[in-house]
Amino acid sequence: MKTLNAILRKHGSALVALLLVFAATGCDSLNNEEPEVAALSQEDLEAASSILAESLSDQNEGLMANLNDMTAEIGVTRLSYSNRNFWSNPGLRPCRGEDRSFEKTYDETTGIHAINYSRNVESEVCSKDVAVNLNYTFTDENGEYIEFPRLNRGDIASIAFEGSRVGSGSYDSRRGARAVTFDHAGEWNLTGLQSDVASLTGSQTNSGSYETTRQDSSGNAQTQSGTYNLAFSTVDVTIATDDSEDSELENQITGAIQYTMTMEKTINGETEMQDVEGTIELEGNGRAVLRFLGLRKIYRITLRDGDITDTDGETGGDG
């Protein structure tokens, strides 16, 4: 094998030339990215982080709402979250609401359990009206459909799941009064349920609108509104199957999610388009770390309610 010195003696000039070309193109690439990073103003970051927090949190009908439904026990007249703390103590998640108008069917040919229900919340801190449509397919280790998943829960090896949530809501946060509409649709597969750790794969698309009203430093009301289209996809996400010690799903899920989003925002009558992308790291402690591509600033999101803490110690989110 040639030594490093021998390679340098024989190809030194060529390597130097290549390094010079790389340095020049690398600088150009970095310079080309600077305007895109600079375009993310503080208002952009607040709008994007609020949308992403809502799109993740359980109480805002985000990703965790779908996953809590995916892992719930299916009954004839309702979904049972009997292994979740909020099931026995609804006050832990006052903006979650109860499942109403529950309907369930089963197709033995396709193995699909279809469920529809609605939620309505009216309180001093939040309101919400949402329609939910869910499709489940439970299979055992031999790939056979499971018709009675609650009775035969120990036989479930995998779950194929589709969930859509369409609705509107409003709430007060430390970032201001916020009104939203949303349309979330996800397809997820949970495999390895016979082992200690199950693997989650899939994607979800979210779209919607928002309007936030708050006071600026001079005490004047400032309104920011807009629409968005957002896509999530898993990178490496796992869920612990043993919930005997901790019964909150948000504390059992770890891994990474990629996202891309396009926002159309209007601030004081001026409309702009903004594309953002990055990653979300699920920490397994009820929180997630939100990162924007090209920026060092990070946000920590509480998966339960969408509360936000950034690296500067500022907080925001649900009331």
Side-chain angles (χ1 to χ4, degrees), residues 285-317:
N285 59 4
R287 298 195 300 176
V289 176
L290 168 63
R291 301 180 188 273
F292 292 94
L293 182 65
L295 296 178
R296 297 181 62 183
K297 190 181 187 72
I298 65 172
Y299 294 81
R300 294 188 184 277
I301 297 171
T302 304
L303 296 173
R304 178 186 68 252
D305 57 14
D307 191 65
I308 306 168
T309 305
D310 68 17
T311 51
D312 297 325
E314 299 168 355
T315 58

Side-chain angles (χ1 to χ4, degrees), residues 30 33 42 85 100 107 236-237 252 273:
L30 290 174
E33 291 178 358
Q42 182 62 31
N85 289 334
R100 302 181 183 278
D107 187 329
D236 182 18
V237 177
Q252 298 167 330
M273 297 288 291

Side-chain angles (χ1 to χ4, degrees), residues 24 27-28 36 42-43 94 96 131 155 166 179 181 191 219 247 252 257:
C27 289
D28 288 342
E36 183 176 348
Q42 182 62 31
E43 289 77 12
R96 190 173 203 275
D155 296 332
V166 180
T181 65
T191 59
S247 59
Q252 298 167 330
I257 292 174

Side-chain angles (χ1 to χ4, degrees), residues 46-103:
E46 287 196 5
S49 60
S50 293
I51 291 169
L52 287 159
E54 291 164 355
S55 297
L56 286 173
S57 83
D58 179 62
Q59 290 197 102
N60 287 300
E61 304 298 326
L63 170 63
M64 292 310 306
N66 261 346
L67 297 186
N68 269 309
D69 282 356
M70 183 183 190
T71 56
E73 296 180 356
I74 293 182
V76 176
T77 60
R78 67 179 183 179
L79 292 177
S80 174
Y81 311 92
S82 57
N83 57 337
R84 308 295 180 210
N85 289 334
F86 63 77
W87 181 245
S88 58
N89 187 358
L92 294 173
R93 302 190 183 189
C95 295
R96 190 173 203 275
E98 296 182 3
D99 303 349
R100 302 181 183 278
S101 303
F102 187 93
E103 297 178 351

Side-chain angles (χ1 to χ4, degrees), residues 54 60 167-171 178-182 209-211:
E54 291 164 355
N60 287 300
S168 60
S170 63
Y171 62 90
R178 191 164 173 87
V180 299
T181 65
F182 53 86
S209 64
Y210 66 91
E211 181 176 282

